[in-house]
Amino acid sequence: MVFETSPFKIFAGSQGQVIAQRICEKIGCKLGKINIDRFSDGEFAVSFDESVRGQSVYLVQSTCPNCDNLMELLLMIDAAKRASAYKVIAVIPYFGFARQDRKDKPRVSIGSKLVANMLQVAGADRIITVDLHADQIQGFFDIPVDHLFGTNVLVPYVANLNLDLDNVIIASPDVGGSKRADKFVKKLHTLTGIEVPMVICYKNRPGFNRISEMRVLGDVQGKDVVIVDDIVDTAGTLCMAAKVIRDAGAKSVRAILSHGVMSGKADEKIMASELQEVVFTDSIQYDQSRCSKVKVVSLAEPLAETILAIQEHRSISEVNVG
């Protein structure tokens, strides 16, 4: 079904083009036209090529790499408000700065709170995002936040793998991710009826992107292990966890993640690692030709269903069961 006239429009920033087009295909609408003009000094300007007056405007943009794409999103929100949009909804599949959610040492900023303030000051009326690094970030906003779960597309992927689920173990790459892994286990049980056990990798991290030691807590001998996490950035933790798990006797190791940041030499590390495959969503645009072990699954369907639920004043929880 194609909407001839619609009470809402969807636009995409530079980091949201691919997933926004997929969302529009699911809904049956056209992606709106927007101009992003860049100047030689690095500054850029945003303008809409069509009217948004009186309409709900959905702006799809992940903020990774963080700074330019965040600024682009802020300008998009501001432009929509100044063009008399009825509501401006920021659809942020990957919410950058989410790892800076607290003061974990003296004299540091809380980046995710600052970004929340910036989005609200720019004029956002609502936020749709996926798998925040920390659930409490929702409380940094004074506007509605629809927090979707990547498990809605990642768990079915695992369930449909050519694996004996009775021989599968879910692993968390660190103690902090155990709650996330436990949710994955419960979702998998709901979908398949099979209760899969869980193990945890303990790591000592002396600084950013540095790990001094890691060991697996639990028995993985002869098992097909699925590491579950929210983000793969430099892939250092992931590859080390895979090696530790394989050294502990696992039959195979693969990783299932929400967001593929894939910075630095992540592709090379994964190719040289014990990982059989790495699967993440299209929350961040990724060229799969970069690494043959990577597979990407789309969030387009749950995001499209959420947009329609908002427009039809239906409960978001009906389409977002974590």
Side-chain angles (χ1 to χ4, degrees):
M1 175 181 180
V2 176
F3 292 94
E4 296 299 331
T5 57
S6 173
F8 68 92
K9 287 184 178 179
I10 300 174
F11 297 88
S14 300
Q15 186 50 248
Q17 291 291 324
V18 175
I19 192 170
Q21 188 60 57
R22 290 170 180 163
I23 292 169
C24 289
E25 288 170 3
K26 293 289 184 182
I27 293 175
C29 64
K30 292 181 179 179
L31 184 62
K33 296 176 182 179
I34 189 170
N35 268 331
I36 301 171
D37 297 314
R38 297 186 179 274
F39 305 107
S40 59
D41 65 351
E43 187 177 324
F44 45 86
V46 170
S47 61
F48 292 94
D49 275 357
E50 55 191 88
S51 175
V52 296
R53 183 178 295 274
Q55 293 180 308
S56 293
V57 176
Y58 292 83
L59 305 175
V60 183
Q61 174 82 319
S62 284
T63 56
C64 177
N66 293 303
C67 299
D68 276 5
N69 288 304
L70 173 59
M71 191 63 194
E72 195 176 286
L73 176 59
L74 294 171
L75 291 173
M76 290 165 65
I77 294 169
D78 185 67
K81 294 298 284 190
R82 294 177 187 278
S84 301
Y86 171 60
K87 294 286 185 183
V88 179
I89 301 94
V91 182
I92 313 173
Y94 174 73
F95 187 95
F97 293 94
R99 284 174 281 185
Q100 300 179 46
D101 62 306
R102 65 196 184 281
K103 285 192 70 173
D104 54 356
K105 60 182 180 180
R107 299 175 296 280
V108 296
S109 65
I110 303 179
S112 52
K113 171 58 175 172
L114 175 61
V115 172
N117 289 344
M118 292 166 70
L119 290 166
Q120 291 172 117
V121 169
D125 296 294
R126 191 182 196 109
I127 304 293
I128 301 173
T129 191
V130 179
D131 280 344
L132 290 167
H133 186 67
D135 291 343
Q136 68 262 24
I137 293 173
Q138 297 172 78
F140 294 168
F141 290 90
D142 295 320
I143 56 176
V145 176
D146 299 307
H147 186 205
L148 308 188
F149 304 111
T151 52
N152 288 312
V153 295
L154 294 171
V155 169
Y157 180 90
V158 173
N160 291 323
L161 284 171
N162 189 25
L163 291 175
D164 177 9
L165 289 179
D166 288 321
N167 196 57
V168 168
I169 286 182
I170 301 300
S172 171
D174 53 35
V175 175
S178 59
K179 181 179 177 182
R180 184 180 303 106
D182 183 59
K183 286 182 178 179
F184 197 96
V185 167
K186 290 176 180 175
K187 179 80 173 180
L188 189 60
H189 178 257
T190 300
L191 187 64
T192 66
I194 298 173
E195 194 161 340
V196 177
M198 187 179 81
V199 298
I200 298 172
C201 294
Y202 170 80
K203 67 182 178 184
N204 181 22
R205 187 190 287 276
F208 290 122
N209 296 324
R210 290 191 295 130
I211 303 168
S212 61
E213 66 167 330
M214 179 181 283
R215 57 182 181 270
V216 62
L217 306 178
D219 183 15
V220 296
Q221 183 70 41
K223 300 293 185 179
D224 294 302
V225 178
V226 179
I227 301 172
V228 173
D229 206 358
D230 63 332
I231 298 170
V232 52
D233 188 353
T234 64
T237 296
L238 197 60
C239 293
M240 183 177 285
K243 184 180 186 309
V244 169
I245 290 168
R246 282 285 282 169
D247 289 346
K251 179 182 176 183
S252 69
V253 186
R254 52 177 40 85
I256 307 291
L257 310 110
S258 299
H259 308 295
V261 176
M262 299 295 282
S263 64
K265 296 183 178 181
D267 297 301
E268 298 171 29
K269 291 178 185 175
I270 288 171
M271 282 302 298
S273 74
E274 298 281 355
L275 289 159
Q276 186 169 323
E277 67 175 351
V278 174
V279 183
F280 47 74
T281 74
D282 57 354
S283 63
I284 300 170
Q285 291 175 187
Y286 179 81
D287 181 358
Q288 287 183 253
S289 66
R290 286 169 47 184
C291 181
S292 60
K293 286 188 178 182
V294 167
K295 293 181 176 64
V296 178
V297 295
S298 184
L299 290 165
E301 187 166 342
L303 287 170
E305 289 176 351
T306 300
I307 289 171
L308 290 176
I310 291 170
Q311 287 302 124
E312 296 165 4
H313 307 291
R314 291 186 285 112
S315 171
I316 304 298
S317 61
E318 293 177 5
V319 299
N320 185 43
V321 181

